[in-house]
Amino acid sequence: MKGNNKLLTIAIPCYNSESYLQRALKSTLIGDNRIEVLIVDDGSTDKTPEMADAYAAKYPDIIKVIHKENGGHGDAVMTGLANASGKYYKVLDSDDWLNRRALAAVMNFLAENDSMDNNFDMIISDYVYEKAGKKHKKRINYRNVMPVRTPFNWNKLGRFMPWQNILMHSVIYRTTLLRKSGIEMPKHTFYVDNIYVYHPLPFVRKIYYLDVDLYHYVIGRSDQSVNEKVMMSRIDQQVLVTKLMIEDHNLRNVENGMLRRYMSQYLAMMMTISTAFLIKIGTPESLAERDKLWSFLKEHSSQYKYVYRHFLGKAMQMKSKPGMFIIKTGYTISQKLVGFN
């Protein structure tokens, strides 16, 4: 390899993660010094800082620790990006883990293509929902959407099912592309992983889909940000992220039609989640916020008609009980089918 010998930076944002950080770290330690692990301690008040420092002392060629004041998940991700030396950048939440064999396959792929000066803007892999108490683990793959193990561009995309959006769990970005994209994420805000995935998409030209179950996404804890009750208590942050994404790109300027359709579908998903929870909350204030959100979409996005037609857009704006019932029922069915929280 030429120059910097780090092929992949794995950033692990941490806040009070002493109960599960060890599992996440062990999943990255596959004996490959081409991996850089950045533990970003986001102002933890438990034993996370000491655990992180101990691992860095034990694996000085692989693990580095950044201690910072608390700024939230997005700020920790951005801090990791600013300090990354790897050619590619992957985010691993501290309560999740990576499959070690799949990670080895990813590293072999990166090394082989690096030796040929073959660069990719985005690499996609599969992920697994690890829900507490569930024997059957839901696996999300993209085999019906993307060419498998061959370079491709947006023109080769198929149609995504609602549960197949590209998420932080499934994406590896080229580090320089992320930086050049000018990505920004607000501090002290949850759900910014959607911005992380969505914002760089128009800058992506060359893609590769490696169909391995790399990421294991833990769900089911009562304190998680994706827990239903927690999401309802933080609906203002979900709405904020949705609005930032609506404003982020004028999709009329996205030349590739396949990409424009996919980004429109992603906005539809965000509108669906925000609207469903505002309806489930059911207060006059939350229903008024729903109306404001749809007005915001209409005012700021050229894709209003697309979103309105998709994902029960018309029902979402109904003020009658039947319309609200449709949304609540649809959300419950989605939970059971996908098991996302």
Side-chain angles (χ1 to χ4, degrees), residues 24-37:
L25 284 171
K26 284 185 175 180
S27 75
T28 68
L29 298 171
I30 60 172
D32 194 330
N33 286 352
R34 298 168 300 184
I35 296 174
E36 173 187 57
V37 178

Side-chain angles (χ1 to χ4, degrees), residues 154 197-203 242-271 297 299-307:
W154 296 118
V197 175
Y198 181 83
H199 172 80
L201 293 177
F203 300 88
T242 301
K243 287 181 176 180
L244 289 173
M245 291 173 63
I246 290 170
E247 291 182 305
D248 194 18
H249 295 292
N250 183 346
L251 296 188
R252 284 180 177 168
N253 296 333
V254 176
E255 295 182 2
N256 187 281
M258 301 293 283
L259 175 58
R260 185 169 59 252
R261 184 181 69 188
Y262 172 71
M263 293 179 73
S264 300
Q265 178 176 316
Y266 204 118
L267 288 184
M269 178 194 73
M270 295 297 294
M271 289 294 296
L297 176 71
E299 180 180 351
H300 291 86
S301 176
S302 60
Q303 300 307 106
Y304 172 80
K305 290 183 178 179
Y306 176 95
V307 177

Side-chain angles (χ1 to χ4, degrees), residues 147-158:
V148 179
R149 303 200 180 209
T150 184
F152 67 96
N153 58 29
W154 296 118
N155 290 324
K156 298 297 183 179
L157 280 184

Side-chain angles (χ1 to χ4, degrees), residues 274-299:
S274 296
T275 304
F277 279 114
L278 288 167
I279 290 174
K280 283 175 75 70
I281 293 169
T283 63
E285 292 79 12
S286 69
L287 297 179
E289 187 61 41
R290 173 200 60 179
D291 296 341
K292 290 178 183 177
L293 180 59
W294 280 89
S295 295
F296 186 90
L297 176 71
K298 188 173 185 179
E299 180 180 351

Side-chain angles (χ1 to χ4, degrees), residues 15-284:
Y15 178 72
N16 290 351
S17 306
E18 65 178 16
S19 298
Y20 29 78
L21 176 59
Q22 186 176 24
R23 180 179 62 186
L25 284 171
K26 284 185 175 180
S27 75
T28 68
L29 298 171
I30 60 172
D32 194 330
N33 286 352
R34 298 168 300 184
I35 296 174
E36 173 187 57
V37 178
L38 290 182
I39 305 174
V40 184
D41 168 34
D42 192 37
S44 297
T45 57
D46 64 357
K47 295 180 180 179
T48 297
E50 292 83 358
M51 291 178 62
D53 289 338
Y55 265 90
K58 189 175 181 179
Y59 301 96
D61 295 333
I62 297 175
I63 298 178
K64 298 178 182 178
V65 182
I66 302 169
H67 299 289
K68 59 182 286 296
E69 293 183 0
N70 182 262
H73 186 263
D75 190 54
V77 170
M78 295 299 295
T79 299
L81 179 60
N83 290 274
S85 60
K87 186 174 182 179
Y88 294 92
Y89 189 72
K90 176 71 177 174
V91 179
L92 171 62
D93 285 342
S94 60
D95 55 345
D96 300 332
W97 76 91
L98 303 178
N99 179 284
R100 292 162 60 89
R101 288 186 179 179
L103 180 57
V106 169
M107 294 308 298
N108 289 337
F109 165 77
L110 295 181
E112 179 181 352
N113 282 275
D114 187 68
S115 67
M116 298 184 294
D117 287 329
N118 197 11
N119 298 322
F120 294 92
D121 298 321
M122 183 170 69
I123 299 163
I124 305 295
S125 59
D126 301 332
Y127 65 95
V128 181
Y129 282 107
E130 293 284 347
K131 189 165 187 177
K134 291 283 186 179
K135 291 184 179 180
H136 176 70
K137 308 299 183 183
K138 182 71 176 181
R139 286 170 165 79
I140 303 298
N141 69 70
Y142 304 91
R143 292 174 195 136
N144 63 321
V145 181
M146 305 174 183
V148 179
R149 303 200 180 209
T150 184
F152 67 96
N153 58 29
W154 296 118
N155 290 324
K156 298 297 183 179
L157 280 184
R159 286 190 175 272
F160 288 78
M161 298 301 290
W163 56 83
Q164 282 182 305
N165 281 304
I166 300 168
L167 302 182
M168 184 178 277
H169 324 309
S170 55
V171 70
I172 299 172
Y173 276 121
R174 188 159 53 87
T175 306
T176 54
L177 178 135
L178 274 178
R179 290 170 176 162
K180 290 180 179 177
S181 76
I183 186 171
E184 295 180 358
M185 291 187 284
K187 291 185 177 182
H188 302 293
T189 305
F190 287 90
Y191 316 117
V192 292
D193 51 308
N194 294 290
I195 297 173
Y196 174 84
V197 175
Y198 181 83
H199 172 80
L201 293 177
F203 300 88
V204 170
R205 296 292 181 270
K206 192 173 182 180
I207 314 167
Y208 196 93
Y209 168 43
L210 194 62
D211 58 338
V212 295
D213 293 337
L214 175 63
Y215 199 103
H216 288 254
Y217 175 36
V218 177
I219 56 175
R221 290 203 332 268
S222 61
D223 62 337
Q224 277 186 300
S225 61
V226 295
N227 175 273
E228 181 174 315
K229 291 182 179 178
V230 175
M231 289 189 75
M232 290 170 71
S233 70
R234 295 172 178 162
I235 189 61
D236 59 322
Q237 298 179 47
Q238 179 71 38
V239 170
L240 171 62
V241 169
T242 301
K243 287 181 176 180
L244 289 173
M245 291 173 63
I246 290 170
E247 291 182 305
D248 194 18
H249 295 292
N250 183 346
L251 296 188
R252 284 180 177 168
N253 296 333
V254 176
E255 295 182 2
N256 187 281
M258 301 293 283
L259 175 58
R260 185 169 59 252
R261 184 181 69 188
Y262 172 71
M263 293 179 73
S264 300
Q265 178 176 316
Y266 204 118
L267 288 184
M269 178 194 73
M270 295 297 294
M271 289 294 296
T272 300
I273 293 170
S274 296
T275 304
F277 279 114
L278 288 167
I279 290 174
K280 283 175 75 70
I281 293 169
T283 63

